[in-house]
Amino acid sequence: MLTWQMAPLFGALCLTFLVLQHLQRVYQKRKRAQSLGCQPAPQGTPGLFGVRAFIRLIKEVKKKRWVEYLNEQYGRHGNTYAQKALGTWMLATIEPENIKALLATQFNDFRLGTRHREFYPLLGDGIFTLDGSGWSHARGLLRPQFTRDQVADLELMDGHVSRMIDIIPRDGSSFDIQRLFFLLTIDSATHFLFGESVGALESSDRTSLLGKSSVGSAQGFAEAFGTAQDYLATRSRAMHFYWMVNPEEFREANRRVHEVVDHYVRLAIQNKNNPDKKSDRYIFAEALAADNDDPKVLRDNMLNILVAGRDTTASLLSSVFFYLSRNQNVWKKLRQIIIDEFGDSQNPKAEITQAKLKDIPYLRYVLNEVLRLLPPVPLNFRVAAKDTSLPVGGGPDGKSPVFVPKGQVVSYSVYAMHRRTDLYGPDSTSFRPERWEEDGRRGWDYLPFNGGPRICLGQQYALTEASYTLVRLLQCFDTLECADPELKQPAILSTLTMSHDRGVKVKLYSSGQKS
């Protein structure tokens, strides 16, 4: 029987056991690292339990410049370095070889960690939240839908782009084109997914589903969707403390989004069981329902695709106009190429097709350069599923392998990698599409759509929509002016995807129409 006199001795024994157990784990990891030929990576900002580094990051998040801050850390500590955050060691890297290992050659050594639990309240069990067999099943369900010709449904896109063009002021007054792009892409994405657009670009609220639902309108749906994603980003930054971020506003936003999507899920299942109601046009939800009519599976997968289909394309288009409005030579050169190929809106020469869009090199160079400087998903991470290593980053010269113990987070910044001067030259932070003509062959140092088995399924959809929208705008307007000239560098707001914190304010008009 343990008496109070024996309690100090028992406590000392327990402490000794824990210390010995810790030392044994450290020894085993060191031996494992040696067997893999690993050397330690440089260490980042010192501090007890990494609290100081975490507090600094939170401050930069509040300033809305944490993407740039993390880029600066690579300049201070090297292309691969170890950093403690809230008591947990992390590895940060922008080495193409390491990212290739994370995403492809050592794909099975890494997982998404707590992302499933962080994102579950909104996205459930989907392609962006699952690992292993669950992810394989979700990807297998979605992949066939993105290999179809309907992904390049320019006729569907045309109606929404035309509606957006009608909203643009013709008198040369300033407006935020980013706001319009987010409305455009939520309309086109919901049309493609659900067979019916939510109508965010409509001049008045529709009296159908959205007016009767708790979101109240298309704008209400877009706002609820945005609010939910903002909280997902906050939960992700909180890492193992994600569960502390679960306010009523977040729960209510999720409920509203689910209410709308569930309606379309029920409609797709009903149409599957009633061939007379099935649409003649391809509808993503109906195609999914043909293979699986579980309502939750359909809702989760459609929401996962909606996140990608709406935000990444809107981010790309917004950044295109940020740079074009500040680089008149590129705007004029690209517009002349487009007019020569397709004509303008008053005198069209040829039909715009996906094949023709792909065959315009300078259009591709412009999009590539924008995706390089402002990738829609600038930051990402993986978690080691077992003791493993990454190819480079260790030792004094940074060329030795680095040990990655099971459970360690490895973060990588595509944003920072794309700005390395040793990869893209001394003008790596400058917008210069011509660099892609000089050296268009890129490997793992250019990853706007991720890579490996988890490479973005909707890559061609996003590029086609962005290319088509840009061409239509170039046809309709001959003059683009920057309406926020004091802003020289982008003010980046990064939640799940990147956007411009101050919007993208421009003047877009035709010189003959301006009144």
Side-chain angles (χ1 to χ4, degrees):
M1 181 177 178
L2 181 66
T3 64
W4 66 270
Q5 293 93 341
M6 297 170 62
L9 177 61
F10 180 75
L13 288 172
C14 287
L15 180 61
T16 301
F17 173 77
L18 291 173
V19 170
L20 290 174
Q21 189 179 53
H22 172 72
L23 292 175
Q24 182 185 32
R25 284 198 298 266
V26 170
Y27 174 76
Q28 289 173 341
K29 288 179 180 179
R30 185 171 298 172
K31 293 291 288 183
R32 177 65 174 149
Q34 289 174 349
S35 72
L36 295 170
C38 298
Q39 293 193 46
Q43 291 190 15
T45 306
L48 184 64
F49 299 115
V51 173
R52 187 168 72 179
F54 184 76
I55 291 174
R56 176 64 189 276
L57 178 61
I58 294 302
K59 288 181 179 178
E60 297 296 338
V61 169
K62 289 180 179 178
K63 293 179 185 176
K64 299 177 181 177
R65 65 171 307 275
W66 69 296
V67 175
E68 299 98 314
Y69 167 72
L70 293 177
N71 181 36
E72 293 163 3
Q73 298 311 295
Y74 288 106
R76 291 181 59 190
H77 307 302
N79 294 335
T80 300
Y81 66 93
Q83 177 71 63
K84 185 171 278 191
L86 296 182
T88 302
W89 279 105
M90 301 174 62
L91 194 68
T93 188
I94 53 172
E95 287 287 2
E97 285 186 66
N98 286 345
I99 297 175
K100 178 181 178 180
L102 278 174
L103 303 182
T105 56
Q106 294 172 226
F107 179 78
N108 292 324
D109 289 359
F110 297 93
R111 293 287 185 268
L112 300 181
T114 58
R115 185 193 289 182
H116 180 252
R117 283 167 280 170
E118 294 162 6
F119 289 5
Y120 186 85
L122 175 66
L123 300 181
D125 301 311
I127 195 170
F128 293 139
T129 63
L130 293 175
D131 275 315
S133 59
W135 166 77
S136 297
H137 176 74
R139 192 171 179 90
L141 192 65
L142 295 172
R143 179 186 285 276
Q145 317 312 329
F146 281 99
T147 58
R148 299 170 184 258
D149 293 338
Q150 290 90 341
V151 171
D153 189 346
L154 299 184
E155 185 179 349
L156 180 151
M157 294 178 187
D158 182 73
H160 301 297
V161 174
S162 296
R163 223 171 340 267
M164 185 192 73
I165 289 173
D166 289 341
I167 296 173
I168 293 174
R170 297 297 203 276
D171 60 357
S173 57
S174 170
F175 69 100
D176 179 10
I177 200 168
Q178 177 175 256
R179 186 185 73 84
L180 295 188
F181 284 141
F182 272 91
L183 298 179
L184 167 72
T185 55
I186 200 167
D187 274 1
S188 60
T190 52
H191 199 165
F192 171 63
L193 288 173
F194 307 146
E196 177 185 324
S197 165
V198 294
L201 287 166
E202 298 283 349
S203 58
S204 60
D205 292 338
R206 301 190 303 177
T207 58
S208 58
L209 165 72
L210 296 179
K212 299 173 184 176
S213 71
S214 59
V215 299
S217 66
Q219 292 279 2
F221 177 74
E223 289 171 6
F225 197 50
T227 297
Q229 290 185 73
D230 289 346
Y231 278 109
L232 291 191
T234 303
R235 285 164 67 92
S236 182
R237 285 192 293 267
M239 298 187 295
H240 293 291
F241 297 96
Y242 69 89
W243 49 271
M244 296 179 67
V245 182
N246 191 33
E248 174 63 27
E249 184 183 33
F250 175 50
R251 298 195 301 272
E252 179 63 15
N254 292 333
R255 187 190 67 76
R256 291 182 174 187
V257 170
H258 289 169
E259 178 187 351
V260 173
V261 178
D262 284 344
H263 164 81
Y264 291 110
V265 166
R266 289 191 296 270
L267 197 61
I269 294 173
Q270 290 170 8
N271 291 346
K272 172 190 176 181
N273 298 325
N274 188 346
D276 294 336
K277 288 188 176 182
K278 192 169 182 179
S279 173
D280 293 332
R281 195 184 64 77
Y282 173 82
I283 297 173
F284 195 96
E286 291 183 356
L288 279 186
D291 295 326
N292 189 318
D293 58 4
D294 182 322
K296 185 179 183 304
V297 170
L298 293 178
R299 178 227 274 172
D300 291 351
N301 279 284
M302 284 196 286
L303 274 171
N304 276 250
I305 295 301
L306 183 58
V307 167
R310 176 221 183 190
D311 290 18
T312 54
T313 309
S315 172
L316 170 56
L317 282 166
S318 301
S319 297
V320 165
F321 275 81
F322 176 88
Y323 284 113
L324 289 182
S325 64
R326 288 163 174 79
N327 293 271
Q328 286 296 311
N329 58 322
V330 179
W331 163 263
K332 291 175 182 177
K333 179 177 178 178
L334 179 60
R335 186 171 190 275
Q336 189 59 57
I337 290 170
I338 295 306
I339 298 304
D340 289 344
E341 178 69 29
F342 299 114
D344 61 22
S345 58
Q346 300 300 314
N347 301 288
K349 286 184 181 179
E351 180 186 2
I352 304 172
T353 66
Q354 185 184 32
K356 288 179 181 177
L357 290 171
K358 284 184 174 182
D359 285 342
I360 302 176
Y362 197 67
L363 174 61
R364 188 169 68 251
Y365 299 158
V366 169
L367 293 177
N368 284 352
E369 184 72 343
V370 172
L371 288 167
R372 182 184 71 84
L373 286 169
L374 294 177
V377 183
L379 308 165
N380 216 322
F381 71 92
R382 294 290 185 268
V383 179
K386 63 178 184 179
D387 287 351
T388 185
S389 65
L390 290 177
V392 295
D397 60 1
K399 295 182 179 179
S400 298
V402 179
F403 182 61
V404 185
K406 180 180 179 179
Q408 186 173 74
V409 175
V410 181
S411 65
Y412 61 97
S413 170
V414 175
Y415 175 90
M417 181 175 68
H418 286 178
R419 290 164 179 262
R420 282 178 52 172
T421 55
D422 58 331
L423 298 177
Y424 288 95
D427 65 344
S428 62
T429 60
S430 300
F431 176 72
R432 191 170 64 84
E434 286 73 17
R435 79 175 73 245
W436 294 92
E437 185 175 21
E438 300 159 3
D439 183 15
R441 295 173 297 172
R442 309 303 313 188
W444 286 88
D445 57 356
Y446 179 68
L447 289 180
F449 293 102
N450 218 334
R454 297 190 82 116
I455 192 170
C456 177
L457 281 174
Q459 177 176 346
Q460 289 308 314
Y461 175 86
L463 289 174
T464 299
E465 182 174 20
S467 298
Y468 182 78
T469 303
L470 180 53
V471 167
R472 287 290 315 281
L473 288 167
L474 286 160
Q475 286 183 304
C476 289
F477 304 101
D478 61 24
T479 305
L480 172 66
E481 296 177 12
C482 173
D484 194 6
E486 69 275 13
L487 183 65
K488 305 298 183 183
Q489 296 298 325
I492 299 172
L493 176 63
S494 180
T495 52
L496 294 187
T497 53
M498 194 219 70
S499 60
H500 295 259
D501 183 47
R502 286 170 52 166
V504 178
K505 297 181 178 64
V506 298
K507 298 176 182 179
L508 187 61
Y509 57 91
S510 288
S511 52
Q513 296 177 353
K514 184 179 178 183
S515 57

